[in-house]
Amino acid sequence: MRAGELAFAAATNAADFSGEALAETWSKSAILQMVDLARSDLDDGSAYVALGPRPLTPLTVELVQGGRGVFVAGCAADLPVLQERPSSDGGQPQARVYRLELGADGERRIVGVNAPDGDIRLPGGELLTDEYCGSVLIPRGVFDPVPDLEPLLEFDGADVIAPPSPSPTFAVEVPR
């Protein structure tokens, strides 16, 4: 998950979501959602760079779907960003659930990150809530040097690089 958040932050800063690190840690559908959001943000003039990966502290892991899926619950802070128009978000830590699924290649990839859907009890019996996350140590890392926002201010949605799509003839069997 940490490698996935690092890959996401780097892709965001470059407006390039075609990298191998992103494809190794996030599902294709999650990456395409990232591309759509980046295009929308740039078209709306809401450019930003990530100062580092989203800070998170995993607290519990649950295997689902006979081990093909994993829910990792924990606490996460907002993605640290530098943007032209600062937002007024509070930035308080939040309870989050990362959903990972086993791919055909045997690797687990993040398919989504959401607020908990229902009660999640931690190993010590505590209920995972945003309030609980306020007391959890969440390590933070930042890029050094600090990313430059200026190049992204020149971009619009058409400049975002999406992962390559398979060729339409890729899965077509050629008769002999």
Side-chain angles (χ1 to χ4, degrees), residues 68-94:
R68 294 198 53 80
V70 177
F71 289 157
V72 179
C75 300
D78 288 338
L79 182 68
V81 298
L82 173 64
Q83 58 195 83
E84 188 175 31
R85 294 182 289 180
S87 72
S88 59
D89 296 340
Q92 297 299 314
Q94 301 168 338

Side-chain angles (χ1 to χ4, degrees), residues 26-100:
W26 291 87
S27 70
K28 179 80 169 190
S29 62
I31 294 170
L32 293 177
Q33 289 176 356
M34 292 173 194
V35 168
D36 288 344
L37 182 60
R39 286 178 173 157
S40 175
D41 285 347
L42 289 172
D43 283 341
D44 291 342
S46 302
Y48 67 89
V49 291
L51 298 175
R54 179 180 318 280
L56 63 106
T57 298
L59 299 173
T60 186
V61 176
E62 178 186 352
L63 291 174
V64 294
Q65 304 167 347
R68 294 198 53 80
V70 177
F71 289 157
V72 179
C75 300
D78 288 338
L79 182 68
V81 298
L82 173 64
Q83 58 195 83
E84 188 175 31
R85 294 182 289 180
S87 72
S88 59
D89 296 340
Q92 297 299 314
Q94 301 168 338
R96 286 290 175 255
V97 176
Y98 282 74
R99 295 183 337 262
L100 292 89

Side-chain angles (χ1 to χ4, degrees), residues 1-17:
M1 292 179 343
R2 292 185 197 284
E5 290 293 358
L6 179 60
F8 169 70
T12 298
N13 291 351
D16 182 350
F17 296 85

Side-chain angles (χ1 to χ4, degrees), residues 127-167:
L127 189 61
L128 179 63
T129 63
D130 292 347
E131 292 76 25
Y132 178 84
C133 287
S135 67
V136 172
L137 177 63
I138 302 175
R140 298 170 188 270
V142 293
F143 295 126
D144 185 16
V146 174
D148 187 6
L149 177 62
E150 292 303 316
L152 281 180
L153 295 176
E154 303 298 320
F155 287 4
D156 63 26
D159 296 313
V160 174
I161 301 170
S165 296
S167 164

